[in-house]
Amino acid sequence: MLLSKFQSYWFVKINLIEQVLYGLFAITIMLSSYFNRSRLALAAIIFLVFYLTLSQALPWQTWVFSHGEWLVLTGAGVLSVLSVVKDRGLLSTHGFYRLTLILFVGVASYFWFDIANVLVVKLTRVAQLEPWLKYLSVELPLVFFALLLVWRCLREKSLVTTALLSSYCIWLGQYYQLITLPWSVLLTLMIMHYFFVVVVDSYFLAYRDELTTLPSRRALNQLALSLGRKYTLAMLDIDHFKKFNDTYGHDIGDQVLKLVASKLAQVKGSGKVFRYGGEEFTIVFPGKTTEQALPALEAVRQAVEDYKIVIRQEQRKTKQARSDKKGSQVKTVSVTISIGLAERASKLNFEQTLKLADEALYRAKKSGRNNVSE
């Protein structure tokens, strides 16, 4: 009942949808390319070609729609392949390679039916398999592509792969007539999904630190505009981080940054954590005094100190050490953080309060590190 009402609503809007669909395609493809979401750009281009084939008298239109199984298999294969490759610049050699890969999927899908027919002839001798052979040419590859997409979604946990999986479901839903909406409506929904994925991804790109996934310094500056007159700021710094980086390498250093960020993200007392830059972090406590924020900061300082990091390489290996496989050792180390705390005073703005917290951080380091200073 609800589905029929939903479909009847969209049927009324078809004329309007068809007028704006090409513009939506153009905007989404350009935006995806600009923000290097080439997988979505390529998917949108493929669906644009498909829609043009549907609505325009193109030379290959008759051939395409007389090979419906090839069409569904190629579309499903392209979506699954796009979930595996990485986003790269569309107008580059990487983009050319991806277009070549898409063409290869189409050619492979065409020849797959010949291969499947040969397999069916050979497998008919096995009585147990005979009832299932009708699913060999189409359904078996579709199940494989679906499993690949689901696996990529679980592994990558990306909005892009989720959008590709939703497109896959719509593609198959239309083929098996589980969805009866016209393609103009379905493509509008799919391309709008791509558009919003690019917008959300670009937001996170601008306001989230890629390494730690914490809000970035730009997000901190945005929050500063909405803070009231009462708040407390904490500046945090990983002790001896440069020495740690030089000793164990940048890969281990990145792991330390992620670890510290994950511990800071668990801060209590309504604290909001940001990566300020390098090995420095900032925690904002809106509406809190230093006395109220201090227990939460002591808790995260202790949590970082107590966590033991297992390092499988004591120090950067020389060329001779790299050739000696027995040189690999395991070592457990810990890191500490120093914290400077400052409460907004009358007539002080955010930058001035942050400077006071930075000065308090300097005092914490001068007094032996691994402590909180006001």
Side-chain angles (χ1 to χ4, degrees), residues 1-9:
M1 182 70 177
L2 290 174
L3 182 60
S4 62
K5 287 185 177 179
F6 177 77
Q7 291 176 348
S8 62
Y9 171 80

Side-chain angles (χ1 to χ4, degrees), residues 229-240:
R229 296 183 177 181
K230 182 181 178 182
Y231 57 85
T232 294
L233 300 180
M235 286 294 293
L236 303 88
D237 186 87
I238 302 175
D239 296 327
H240 304 295

Side-chain angles (χ1 to χ4, degrees), residues 39 42 46 74 77-86 93-109:
R39 291 183 291 174
L42 287 169
I46 295 300
T74 300
V78 167
L79 290 171
S80 64
V81 165
L82 288 177
S83 72
V84 176
V85 299
K86 294 181 179 180
T93 53
H94 296 289
F96 174 76
Y97 293 149
R98 280 151 179 74
L99 285 173
T100 305
L101 184 59
I102 289 170
L103 292 174
F104 173 77
V105 171
V107 173
S109 298

Side-chain angles (χ1 to χ4, degrees), residues 212-273:
T212 63
T213 71
L214 290 176
S216 64
R217 186 169 178 176
R218 179 178 292 184
L220 173 65
N221 293 333
Q222 287 293 316
L223 177 66
L225 301 176
S226 62
L227 289 173
R229 296 183 177 181
K230 182 181 178 182
Y231 57 85
T232 294
L233 300 180
M235 286 294 293
L236 303 88
D237 186 87
I238 302 175
D239 296 327
H240 304 295
F241 182 73
K242 186 178 184 302
K243 182 179 178 181
F244 192 96
N245 235 3
D246 292 340
T247 303
Y248 299 107
H250 292 288
D251 289 341
I252 302 298
D254 287 347
Q255 294 301 317
V256 169
L257 286 170
K258 290 180 183 179
L259 159 71
V260 173
S262 67
K263 296 299 179 183
L264 295 182
Q266 300 171 16
V267 67
K268 306 296 183 182
S270 303
K272 301 179 185 298
V273 187

Side-chain angles (χ1 to χ4, degrees), residues 123-286:
L123 294 175
T124 47
R125 302 169 187 173
V126 183
Q128 294 84 352
L129 294 178
E130 189 172 356
W132 304 98
L133 293 180
K134 61 182 179 180
Y135 302 113
L136 181 63
S137 60
V138 178
E139 279 72 21
L140 182 62
L142 291 179
V143 169
F144 171 77
F145 293 146
L147 291 175
L148 180 59
L149 269 164
V150 171
W151 174 71
R152 288 300 300 168
C153 282
L154 294 175
R155 183 178 177 85
E156 190 176 340
K157 296 179 181 177
S158 162
L159 292 175
V160 173
T161 50
T162 303
L164 294 173
L165 179 59
S166 68
S167 299
Y168 183 88
C169 294
I170 292 174
W171 184 251
L172 291 197
Q174 241 282 345
Y175 175 73
Y176 287 104
Q177 297 182 351
L178 300 174
I179 303 174
T180 56
L181 288 171
W183 269 115
S184 57
V185 176
L186 295 177
L187 289 172
T188 299
L189 295 175
M190 289 163 59
I191 300 305
M192 286 180 65
H193 188 185
Y194 292 178
F195 175 82
F196 285 116
V197 165
V198 175
V199 170
V200 172
D201 262 4
S202 62
Y203 170 83
F204 279 103
L205 186 66
Y207 290 96
R208 288 273 170 179
D209 176 63
E210 186 175 4
L211 177 65
T212 63
T213 71
L214 290 176
S216 64
R217 186 169 178 176
R218 179 178 292 184
L220 173 65
N221 293 333
Q222 287 293 316
L223 177 66
L225 301 176
S226 62
L227 289 173
R229 296 183 177 181
K230 182 181 178 182
Y231 57 85
T232 294
L233 300 180
M235 286 294 293
L236 303 88
D237 186 87
I238 302 175
D239 296 327
H240 304 295
F241 182 73
K242 186 178 184 302
K243 182 179 178 181
F244 192 96
N245 235 3
D246 292 340
T247 303
Y248 299 107
H250 292 288
D251 289 341
I252 302 298
D254 287 347
Q255 294 301 317
V256 169
L257 286 170
K258 290 180 183 179
L259 159 71
V260 173
S262 67
K263 296 299 179 183
L264 295 182
Q266 300 171 16
V267 67
K268 306 296 183 182
S270 303
K272 301 179 185 298
V273 187
F274 302 83
R275 186 181 181 189
Y276 192 75
E279 67 270 27
E280 287 190 316
F281 299 86
T282 304
I283 303 181
V284 181
F285 294 91

